[in-house]
Amino acid sequence: RYTEKHEFAFDDVYPEDVDNDEVYNTTVHPLIGTIFNRCKVTCFAYGQTGSGKTYTMSPLPTRAAGEILSELSEPRNHELVLWVSYFEIYGGKVYDLLNGRRKLVIREDARQQMCVVGLQEFEVDNVELVQQLIDHGTAARCTGSTGANSESSRSHAILQLALKRREDEP
């Protein structure tokens, strides 16, 4: 039987007793400033079912949103706003978790950037709203039971925090 060989590079690997503060401070916090320089940042957890990915990752987006919103309050960033979207990939299909699990498609645009067509985005100005959107989307995810976890997600979820230029008000 043919098996593809893969090599993966990891920024960090943590022991099971690490706390969320250490994970945030060593992985997410150092990246916050880079998004203000028009860079894209990805935080990804990899591990077997039941290994604690959801537990580890859950508080990170709201903490990141809090730092981003704090930076947005600075006069130098007055033209920027924060937007949130949340989708999942399940069974090779893409679903909008903030828009009734609407089925979406991914396409490449003219600049050769991948775009999730029709993905609903929400402008946010406080951490509480970010958390409400995360909770809403998480409740819409596909879950199933496995031997290691009674509520395994069975999908890949992508939460996007995007900075955009504020549209001029009339």
Side-chain angles (χ1 to χ4, degrees):
R1 179 174 170 172
Y2 178 76
T3 304
E4 282 189 51
K5 241 181 115 174
H6 297 282
E7 288 187 24
F8 298 95
F10 298 96
D11 292 328
D12 289 295
V13 176
Y14 296 95
E16 64 184 50
D17 62 343
V18 70
D19 64 18
N20 294 91
D21 287 335
E22 183 176 347
V23 173
Y24 183 83
N25 289 328
T26 58
T27 60
V28 180
H29 174 73
L31 301 174
I32 297 296
T34 63
I35 66 169
F36 288 88
N37 295 321
R38 301 192 68 172
C39 293
K40 292 184 179 181
V41 172
T42 301
C43 298
F44 181 80
Y46 181 81
Q48 69 186 37
T49 298
S51 64
K53 297 179 301 293
T54 300
Y55 173 80
T56 301
M57 295 294 282
S58 292
L60 305 186
T62 51
R63 286 186 69 176
E67 276 198 73
I68 293 166
L69 290 166
S70 178
E71 281 293 316
L72 288 175
S73 69
E74 297 292 327
R76 68 182 176 275
N77 295 315
H78 75 278
E79 77 285 355
L80 298 173
V81 291
L82 182 62
W83 292 78
V84 172
S85 59
Y86 197 12
F87 64 97
E88 83 173 331
I89 302 170
Y90 175 71
K93 295 178 176 65
V94 182
Y95 301 94
D96 190 333
L97 295 174
L98 299 177
N99 191 15
R101 292 189 51 79
R102 180 175 173 219
K103 192 172 176 185
L104 304 167
V105 294
I106 298 177
R107 294 213 167 95
E108 188 174 349
D109 69 11
R111 295 177 298 156
Q112 298 181 325
Q113 298 289 312
M114 301 309 291
C115 299
V116 183
V117 179
L119 180 63
Q120 189 163 15
E121 297 177 292
F122 294 86
E123 184 177 342
V124 296
D125 61 5
N126 64 74
V127 174
E128 293 76 20
L129 180 54
V130 173
Q131 188 61 56
Q132 288 173 9
L133 291 168
I134 291 170
D135 292 345
H136 178 81
T138 300
R141 289 189 68 191
C142 257
T143 59
S145 182
T146 68
N149 186 345
S150 63
E151 290 221 5
S152 181
S153 64
R154 317 312 308 148
S155 68
H156 301 282
I158 296 91
L159 176 76
Q160 295 182 331
L161 303 175
L163 288 180
K164 296 186 178 188
R165 295 224 176 272
R166 184 180 310 275
E167 292 183 14
D168 292 336
E169 297 179 18

